[in-house]
Amino acid sequence: AASSSSIKAWPTPMVESKGDYRDEAYLEKHIGGLLYENQKNLPRLPVPSVSDTMARFLSTALPLARSEEEREALKLACQKFPEQAEELQERLLKRKNEEFPDSSWLQLWWNQAGYLQVRDPSVVNVSYFFSFVD
């Protein structure tokens, strides 16, 4: 069956991304169709609680400790961390609710640090669409 959609002309000769999806949001509307029609309805990425982060960290880090002394030092650090992390947690929540109210609080950091600043060959090391086949 023939498709009723057609490829639209690109609105500019080049779109240079600085990593903030909000700057290119007009492209979602321009492209349209099923791909982006529910983009605004997707739930936003939550900021994990400090206690959840510590539980995940500790269960991951403890098996890597080489001695009982290292295990105890990890446990002690995790006991003190919530108080030390209070300001950072507040800053993350502010970022989510005030700086990025319509987008992910992580997207700019992720795109810049994970994609735009990585100097490794991104096709092999970053792109999950790429795979080797024997």
Side-chain angles (χ1 to χ4, degrees):
S3 173
S4 61
S5 67
S6 61
I7 297 175
K8 298 176 184 175
W10 208 242
T12 60
M14 181 181 84
V15 176
E16 181 179 359
S17 178
K18 303 282 192 250
D20 191 342
Y21 287 142
R22 297 171 302 168
D23 294 340
E24 292 91 32
Y26 69 95
L27 291 173
E28 294 174 7
K29 188 176 230 179
H30 176 78
I31 294 168
L34 296 175
L35 181 61
Y36 293 111
E37 73 180 11
N38 289 307
Q39 189 76 11
K40 296 288 183 193
N41 301 326
L42 293 173
R44 293 176 54 224
L45 183 67
V47 174
S49 69
V50 173
S51 60
D52 183 51
T53 300
M54 294 315 306
R56 290 171 188 263
F57 169 77
L58 197 55
S59 65
T60 303
L62 280 177
L64 301 176
R66 295 184 182 147
S67 66
E68 188 58 35
E69 182 181 355
E70 281 186 16
R71 279 188 279 284
E72 292 305 313
L74 277 169
K75 290 177 187 176
L76 182 61
C78 287
Q79 287 173 358
K80 293 181 177 185
F81 184 76
E83 183 181 323
Q84 297 169 345
E86 192 173 313
E87 181 184 343
L88 295 174
Q89 185 73 5
E90 288 173 13
R91 288 169 57 188
L92 280 177
L93 291 169
K94 180 180 178 184
R95 180 178 177 90
K96 177 187 178 200
N97 297 324
E98 296 176 21
E99 297 173 38
F100 288 83
D102 58 348
S103 185
S104 168
W105 59 272
L106 183 60
Q107 63 97 352
L108 182 60
W109 289 333
W110 180 263
N111 291 334
Q112 288 179 339
Y115 290 96
L116 298 176
Q117 293 174 354
V118 173
R119 300 300 4 132
D120 298 331
S122 60
V123 169
V124 175
N125 296 302
V126 177
S127 177
Y128 50 86
F129 290 109
F130 187 82
S131 66
F132 292 104
V133 178
D134 284 335

